[in-house]
DNA sequence: CTGTTAGCGCCTTCAA
DNA sequence: TTGAAGGCGCTAACAG
């Protein structure tokens, strides 16, 4: 009960506290001037007592926590695992521990921002799924001004203080639809998100823009909510395919929705891609394993090392200006088109 | 740049540091003896400076972090979101912040345990997906002895120090198979996990036991790996259904696998549940939305408040002995059987 | 009602 | 090669 401190180690090993510290970290200048015997004795004592340096005290003294925080709206999204992975990988070499917090509960982003202001971690990667009020951006800027390394992943944030990661998903959606049109499709369904103004999402705009560019009239009938869940997507696809003049292609604004749409097609005897071409969004792993493998838009590589190095370079003080990093989305053609 | 400290606030508001502290926390005994004017002045200064108490310093002083850590092997599992949610919910009322760490990378559990020993958080809920070496259990015990509140979610851990959460999933699997047998099924397929000794998993044993109890011979042909992914499960089901004497029922050791199995059946013209009864494992949300809704084994409620209160009661010092908490799994009958 | 003060555990400069 | 001492920012017992 009660963790041992450096003092306990020092007493037990019959040395001073600073000697213990030197054994742990070496001394500035490389040549750690501790005699082998002393070192040996101290190390044994440490092992024997099960001593671990108190990170809190160390943080207070060093004015850094050696922690990185990843803030996501929720767990359960396979893609977030890749972000965490890249962060852990990159941070590990520099002695950072990655912790994750959830913004979807708790009081949301503000709670995390307060925690960060109070010293939860040295750096923050915060990911947004939706557009957020300006106040959040300002709070993030304030964090940045206080010396916290901040990277925000969001297409709706601009900042002159923190780093922001954008995607080109709107343009990718446009490309996807253009691709379908080029292959002769004229009636192209869209399975969109139901809530939160899907009408104004970039992806939706990409769909509309592509149609306009090719002088194909926008048909409200062809747009259905349902991208948020497999079942809703299945039903959306069903209703799309039950249309008198049914679409020959579908863009789903989520890969799982696209997979459900393929299923719906199959269940009424339509072949993918021959009777119905399907494109998803996000490039999730499941899309590679689906039957048939799913054409999708997204970032081909699932690594987030670019984001991680953005954060780490800022932590290293190598970044002066606020930066904007773009993760270019592409059309990834597989067998569903 | 550089966060303001209490000292900055005190100077700026022309009071002593302790006064600032009292304004923030009140004073012991409830009656905070700070004059309204002073309080007002201090609060304004705090707001103006954008001051947030340095949690690191506070932690060092109070000898507690007010943090709870949830350690899971990976993100991307929807079920883990429920654990986090319950923890956040319960912790929030007591002023705890929940952080999540990943044990699947980093050097695994040991890294987290070290972090905890160094004061990452006051309490730890650690979840295991696989059986782990004894050393891990011992390290967790040691943590517990150092005064950290530890709850381990694992069927393979016993401890006389920390709290452990068990499930009755083996028995539930037995029930599920018995249920199928009672409904007349004799050839019951199993989609199991491929790696990590699926043969010895509790779920697998439940399957075997149920067969034996009903004097049905175990048939190796009916057991296939594939529970780990949708596609593998689809193929496992396909091969099961291609058997000359094909099974009339299938137990899949994961819900997603069960859903893929239903799909496979449908794709070759078999109806679920009439031609093939399917039971999954885990009670994921998707199972309620699948077509048909999936019969499964699992905990009917998706809340983990029981686990959360286990941890919190220990944090409150209300728990003396090591406890074993059981989350009883049940057969949840829906329409796939 | 407000201020002074002694640490929490660790790191690091300076002295021995 | 080792030790002594101050202080990171905050809390809380004790004075005033």
């Amino acid at each position: 009960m009660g963790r041992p401190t450096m003092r306990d180690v020092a007493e037990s090993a019959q040395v001073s506290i600073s000697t213990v510290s030197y054994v742990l970290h070496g001394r500035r200048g490389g040549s750690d001037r501790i005699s082998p015997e002393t070192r040996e004795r101290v190390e044994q004592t440490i092992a024997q007592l099960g001593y671990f340096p108190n990170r809190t005290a160390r943080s207070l003294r060093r004015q850094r926590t050696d922690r990185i925080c990843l803030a996501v709206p929720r767990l359960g999204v396979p893609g977030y695992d890749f972000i965490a992975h890249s962060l852990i990988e990159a941070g590990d070499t520099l002695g950072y521990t990655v912790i994750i917090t959830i913004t979807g509960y708790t009081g949301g982003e503000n709670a995390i921002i307060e925690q960060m202001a109070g010293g939860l971690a040295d750096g923050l990667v915060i990911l947004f799924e939706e557009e957020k009020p300006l106040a959040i951006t300002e709070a993030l800027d304030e964090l940045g001004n206080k010396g916290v390394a901040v990277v925000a992943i969001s297409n709706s944030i601009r900042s002159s203080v923190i780093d922001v990661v954008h995607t080109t998903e709107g343009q990718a959606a446009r490309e996807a639809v253009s691709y379908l049109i080029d292959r002769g499709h004229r009636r192209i369904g869209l399975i969109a998100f139901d809530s939160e103004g899907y009408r104004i999402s970039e992806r939706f705009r990409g769909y509309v823009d592509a149609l306009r560019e090719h002088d194909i009239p926008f048909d409200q009938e062809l747009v259905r909510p349902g991208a948020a869940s497999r079942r809703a997507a299945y039903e959306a696809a069903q209703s799309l395919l039950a249309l008198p003049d049914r679409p020959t292609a579908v863009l789903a604004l989520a890969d799982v929705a696209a997979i459900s749409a393929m299923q719906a097609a199959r269940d009424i005897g339509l072949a993918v891609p021959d009777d119905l071409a399907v494109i998803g969004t996000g490039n999730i792993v499941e899309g590679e394993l689906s039957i048939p493998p799913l054409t999708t838009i997204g970032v081909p590589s699932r690594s987030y090392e670019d984001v991680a190095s953005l954060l780490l370079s800022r932590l290293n003080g190598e970044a002066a200006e606020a930066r904007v990093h773009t993760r270019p989305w592409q059309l990834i053609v597989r067998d569903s088109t």
Side-chain angles (χ1 to χ4, degrees), chain A:
Chain A
M1 191 78 177
R3 305 159 226 212
T5 71
M6 268 179 57
R7 190 174 144 164
D8 298 325
V9 175
E11 280 176 7
S12 181
Q14 309 269 43
V15 293
S16 76
I17 291 179
S18 43
T19 301
V20 178
S21 177
Y22 289 138
V23 169
L24 285 175
H25 314 300
R27 208 156 180 149
R28 235 233 318 249
S31 73
D32 43 272
R33 305 179 296 163
I34 300 284
S35 68
E37 307 88 63
T38 307
R39 168 180 297 282
E40 170 75 3
R41 188 150 38 91
V42 170
E43 280 171 348
Q44 288 206 345
T45 312
I46 286 175
Q48 179 192 327
L49 261 49
Y51 166 80
F52 285 97
N54 181 320
R55 313 282 299 193
T56 303
R58 175 177 291 179
S59 295
L60 182 58
R61 174 64 229 241
R62 297 221 260 223
Q63 296 293 76
R64 49 180 295 184
T65 60
D66 295 314
R67 279 185 300 245
I68 290 172
C69 178
L70 168 65
V72 293
R74 57 205 164 106
L75 299 187
V77 179
Y80 296 166
D81 206 30
F82 293 108
I83 307 181
H85 184 51
S86 292
L87 240 31
I88 289 172
E89 189 109 310
D92 200 39
T93 62
L94 292 161
Y96 287 102
T97 299
V98 175
I99 62 178
I100 298 150
T101 57
I102 303 188
T103 54
Y105 317 112
T106 330
E109 292 79 7
N110 286 316
I112 299 311
I113 292 173
E114 279 191 27
Q115 287 288 329
M116 290 297 302
L120 213 215
D122 302 328
L124 171 70
V125 174
I126 184 165
L127 180 143
F128 297 90
E129 289 181 348
E130 299 166 5
E131 229 162 299
K132 287 292 170 182
L134 197 61
I136 303 262
T137 306
E138 287 170 352
L140 288 175
D141 280 356
E142 212 175 309
L143 257 191
N145 283 329
K146 280 178 180 151
V148 179
V150 180
V151 175
I153 304 179
S154 159
N155 272 6
S156 68
I157 286 183
R158 326 265 130 175
S159 168
S160 56
V161 180
I162 66 170
D163 295 333
V164 178
V165 177
H166 288 168
T167 66
T168 59
E169 57 194 85
Q171 200 195 317
R174 196 170 55 66
E175 269 172 45
V177 175
S178 292
Y179 172 83
L180 291 171
I181 295 172
D182 290 347
R183 312 269 291 201
H185 295 281
R186 283 294 170 277
R187 295 199 41 87
I188 300 170
L190 181 74
I191 300 178
F193 286 95
D194 30 357
S195 61
E196 318 281 345
Y198 70 85
R199 295 201 122 284
I200 61 161
S201 89
E202 291 182 45
R203 300 174 188 181
F204 178 77
R205 223 169 324 173
Y207 168 83
V208 172
D209 287 353
L211 292 182
R212 191 181 16 231
E213 279 167 24
H214 292 82
D215 294 319
I216 296 179
F218 172 79
D219 182 353
Q220 180 65 52
E221 276 285 31
L222 292 177
V223 179
R224 310 271 159 157
S229 85
R230 288 174 196 271
R231 172 151 217 166
Y234 186 92
E235 286 164 0
Q238 269 186 328
S239 76
L240 236 25
L241 296 174
L243 246 31
D245 187 10
R246 67 168 180 75
T248 59
V250 167
L251 171 65
L253 295 189
D255 279 344
V256 289
I259 289 165
S260 293
M262 293 199 294
Q263 204 47 67
R266 231 152 120 203
D267 285 352
I268 59 169
L270 295 178
V272 175
D274 294 340
D275 301 321
L276 183 74
V278 177
I279 299 183
T281 304
N283 189 26
I284 67 174
V285 174
E286 197 186 329
E288 292 179 43
L289 302 172
S290 66
I291 306 168
L294 181 69
T295 294
T296 188
I297 52 175
V299 181
S301 154
R302 298 207 176 81
S303 161
Y304 278 80
E305 30 182 354
D306 52 346
V307 175
S309 65
L310 212 56
L311 184 75
L312 291 175
S313 67
R314 185 159 287 281
L315 280 169
N316 283 339
E318 292 162 15
E321 300 293 302
R323 295 167 293 181
V324 175
H325 174 73
T326 300
R327 282 174 65 86
W329 280 34
Q330 293 174 206
L331 177 64
I332 300 163
V333 178
R334 290 199 277 256
D335 302 342
S336 66
T337 51

